Amino acid sequence: MKIKPSEGNKTFCMAPFSHTYLSPQSERRLCCASREKASWATQYIDAERADNNSDYHPAALSEHWNSPYMMDIRKRLMAGEEIPQCDVCNQKILNIHIYRDYFTKTLFPHKIDEAFEKTRDDGYTELKPISFDYRITNLCNFKCRMCGDQLSSSWEAENRMMGQYDKGGDAWATKEFKPVIEKFQTEVAEKELWDAVYDGRIEEIYWVGGEPLMWDIHWDVMKYLVETGGSKNVTVRYNTNLSRVRYKEHYLYDYLPHFKSVQICASIDGIGDIVEYVRHGIKWDQWLQNFKEGLFLNKMYGSYATAFDLTVTAPGLFSMKEMIDITAELDVHTLIKTTFSFDSSIVMSPMVIPRHILNPILDDIIEYAREKAKTYPKIENYVICFEDIKKKKTFQEEYPDWERGLIDGKKRLMKIDLHRNNTGKIEEIYSKYPPLLEWWNSIPVKDNII
């Protein structure tokens, strides 16, 4: 059975018909937001762990694209089923703006009929991927507190220094597997991306890492597309820490005006000292200068070409008014999501804060944003998104054993803070709202956290 979106199919997504994703550990997914079972290296978002984390058999795109698994996904989506892999969109777990809409309503709505025509009832498709999110490496110069080693080589290096890999687990990070993964990513994954570029087939590239502006392949592909004229047919999208816009002889803003469409989602969590705590490695003044240099793109490609990509964290709540101010000053859009979590140990999430403490903090931000939005309409998204955050369950409401996870999470944070010479910083931030500081200090963690 096939039901098109125009016929009432509300769960159909163009991603499995157009898009291909690969993690730095060679895990393939429907997209970066899909919740799937790991094949061997469990990702932070995965619904199920791998059965055997020492069995590394990565699949080439040619094996994966019309595999029984992918065919079944397409078959079910064409029938209008709500599949668990798409829970992040189905349940709006990250934010109210769902990724499905990007592929189906923004990027490829004109290809929906073709997807149904060229895909058999069993899910086999004649279509080839034209949108790539290939995270070739975890190379990154930041250690953002809501991130981790799989997406940041700096996190990985820190974990090695702290002995995190000394007792097994995380097979992808071992000396045995690291060179094997790197070989696959370089010889297979990079070639797959280049093949699509050389064929003139590629219509969208999502550059995200790691930190893509540190990757040679990013600059090489961008230069090739501009020099051959292929850029005029390609949409480029970034999720970048924007710590740099220059690399060797390259300057990002020289290339971007040659593309069909551009969107830079510049990752940020606040401003000043608070963002420098949360997003370890950032230099706020330099970041802001790099962002401002790209604002001319909004006149070329529309007001979302250069936007803040804001992750709401617990400490970052105390930088939101300043974020609202800088958003109004620069007259830019802000894409807002909440720190991703599936257990109560993720103490960077605002949902770790008990309801009676959290709501007054959120109400203060919402009131400030609502007043600002009267003059600056782009601030309205803060109102909408923070009202949505207020509706989410706190960890206390969602997880029966939330206190156990909370203790583990605080212990882990304290250990990292000690290693980074940030001891006491989160208490300094939380002192801006004494009830929060009192609650945080009441979490029982033993003195010995090493």
Side-chain angles (χ1 to χ4, degrees):
M1 180 174 61
K2 292 183 178 182
I3 306 169
K4 294 182 179 181
S6 60
E7 299 167 338
N9 187 335
K10 298 184 182 301
T11 62
F12 179 80
C13 179
M14 273 297 297
F17 302 81
S18 60
H19 177 74
T20 182
Y21 165 90
L22 186 72
S23 82
Q25 292 74 40
S26 315
E27 289 282 343
R28 294 194 182 271
R29 296 288 183 271
L30 303 178
C31 71
C32 64
S34 62
R35 300 202 65 211
E36 304 180 46
K37 181 176 180 178
S39 62
W40 88 292
T42 306
Q43 310 293 292
Y44 72 101
I45 198 172
D46 286 348
E48 296 181 60
R49 299 190 65 83
D51 294 328
N52 184 348
N53 72 351
S54 63
D55 190 19
Y56 177 66
H57 294 291
L61 182 58
S62 57
E63 303 171 65
H64 171 75
W65 187 244
N66 273 312
S67 64
Y69 175 74
M70 288 295 292
M71 289 169 59
D72 182 64
I73 291 290
R74 296 190 192 103
K75 177 181 177 180
R76 295 167 67 186
L77 288 178
M78 289 191 298
E81 289 187 34
E82 186 175 287
I83 61 175
Q85 290 91 335
C86 299
D87 276 352
V88 170
C89 287
N90 294 335
Q91 300 174 21
K92 298 183 178 179
I93 291 173
L94 274 178
N95 54 31
I96 60 175
H97 305 290
I98 60 176
Y99 205 22
R100 175 192 294 133
D101 286 350
Y102 174 72
F103 289 107
T104 309
K105 297 181 179 180
T106 301
L107 195 61
F108 298 127
H110 58 293
K111 292 184 177 291
I112 292 174
D113 287 344
E114 182 183 12
F116 276 81
E117 291 165 6
K118 293 186 177 180
T119 304
R120 299 187 319 216
D121 290 346
D122 64 358
Y124 181 96
T125 186
E126 300 172 29
L127 299 174
K128 294 183 178 180
I130 55 177
S131 167
F132 281 72
D133 175 356
Y134 267 26
R135 309 184 184 196
I136 299 296
T137 170
N138 69 344
L139 180 64
C140 182
N141 55 334
F142 280 13
K143 292 180 286 189
C144 304
R145 291 174 184 274
M146 73 298 284
C147 190
D149 53 2
Q150 290 189 335
L151 297 177
S152 167
S153 57
S154 295
W155 259 109
E156 182 185 345
E158 181 174 82
N159 283 351
R160 290 189 192 284
M161 291 178 64
M162 295 171 70
Q164 296 294 322
Y165 307 128
D166 292 346
K167 297 181 180 179
D170 298 309
W172 64 268
T174 64
K175 293 180 180 179
E176 176 186 0
F177 285 109
K178 279 290 285 186
V180 181
I181 295 170
E182 290 170 0
K183 180 179 175 66
F184 176 85
Q185 298 290 89
T186 301
E187 297 183 2
V188 179
E190 287 193 19
K191 183 178 183 300
E192 291 170 353
L193 176 57
W194 273 114
D195 284 347
V197 170
Y198 290 147
D199 289 347
R201 167 166 48 93
I202 204 158
E203 295 188 23
E204 192 222 28
I205 306 178
Y206 184 23
W207 291 114
V208 56
E211 174 43 49
L213 298 183
M214 295 176 66
W215 301 350
D216 285 325
I217 189 173
H218 160 265
W219 298 103
D220 292 344
V221 167
M222 295 293 285
K223 182 180 180 181
Y224 175 86
L225 287 170
V226 170
E227 289 181 347
T228 60
S231 56
K232 65 180 181 296
N233 300 315
V234 178
T235 292
V236 286
R237 186 164 48 108
Y238 288 84
N239 195 290
T240 167
N241 68 33
L242 212 64
S243 59
R244 69 183 67 204
V245 291
R246 298 181 184 275
Y247 181 78
K248 298 180 181 177
E249 76 277 12
H250 306 287
Y251 180 50
L252 180 65
Y253 299 129
D254 284 341
Y255 291 128
L256 296 184
H258 297 275
F259 284 81
K260 177 182 177 180
S261 181
V262 171
Q263 184 180 38
I264 297 177
C265 296
S267 298
I268 200 66
D269 316 289
I271 76 165
D273 290 345
I274 291 180
V275 75
E276 289 181 356
Y277 171 76
V278 176
R279 188 164 286 272
H280 189 89
I282 193 173
K283 303 299 180 187
W284 166 249
D285 291 340
Q286 182 60 60
W287 186 95
L288 187 59
Q289 177 59 36
N290 292 343
F291 184 85
K292 287 179 176 179
E293 288 180 25
L295 287 176
F296 74 95
L297 295 167
N298 289 345
K299 296 179 180 179
M300 296 183 63
Y301 294 108
S303 59
Y304 277 95
T306 307
F308 291 143
D309 187 70
L310 174 66
T311 300
V312 180
T313 66
L317 291 171
F318 298 95
S319 192
M320 283 306 98
K321 290 183 179 179
E322 291 81 2
M323 271 300 304
I324 290 168
D325 289 343
I326 195 73
T327 301
E329 177 189 331
L330 298 181
D331 190 30
V332 295
H333 285 287
T334 305
L335 308 172
I336 304 174
K337 60 182 178 294
T338 311
T339 299
F340 204 92
S341 57
F342 283 108
D343 65 66
S344 59
S345 70
I346 311 301
V347 294
M348 279 292 103
S349 171
M351 310 321 296
V352 74
I353 303 172
R355 176 68 60 194
H356 69 283
I357 300 174
L358 178 63
N359 275 9
I361 299 171
L362 296 178
D363 287 339
D364 186 46
I365 295 169
I366 292 167
E367 181 181 357
Y368 189 84
R370 185 175 285 121
E371 186 63 30
K372 203 83 170 182
K374 293 177 180 178
T375 307
Y376 302 96
K378 290 174 185 173
I379 302 301
E380 183 63 28
N381 197 39
Y382 283 88
V383 178
I384 295 169
C385 291
F386 274 88
E387 285 182 337
D388 182 68
I389 291 172
K390 190 176 175 182
K391 296 174 185 175
K392 293 180 182 295
K393 289 183 178 180
T394 66
F395 290 171
Q396 185 178 22
E397 295 163 345
E398 187 168 5
Y399 302 111
D401 61 344
W402 81 291
E403 289 180 321
R404 178 182 299 177
L406 180 62
I407 292 170
D408 289 343
K410 182 177 179 180
K411 186 183 297 184
R412 183 167 61 243
L413 180 69
M414 291 173 67
K415 185 174 182 179
I416 292 169
D417 279 352
L418 183 63
H419 183 80
R420 297 180 185 178
N421 296 317
N422 283 141
T423 299
K425 181 63 178 179
I426 197 165
E427 286 81 8
E428 178 186 328
I429 295 170
Y430 286 172
S431 69
K432 297 175 185 295
Y433 189 63
L436 176 59
L437 178 61
E438 182 180 356
W439 168 77
W440 178 258
N441 286 337
S442 73
I443 301 169
V445 174
K446 295 180 180 179
D447 292 336
N448 183 9
I449 59 171
I450 304 302

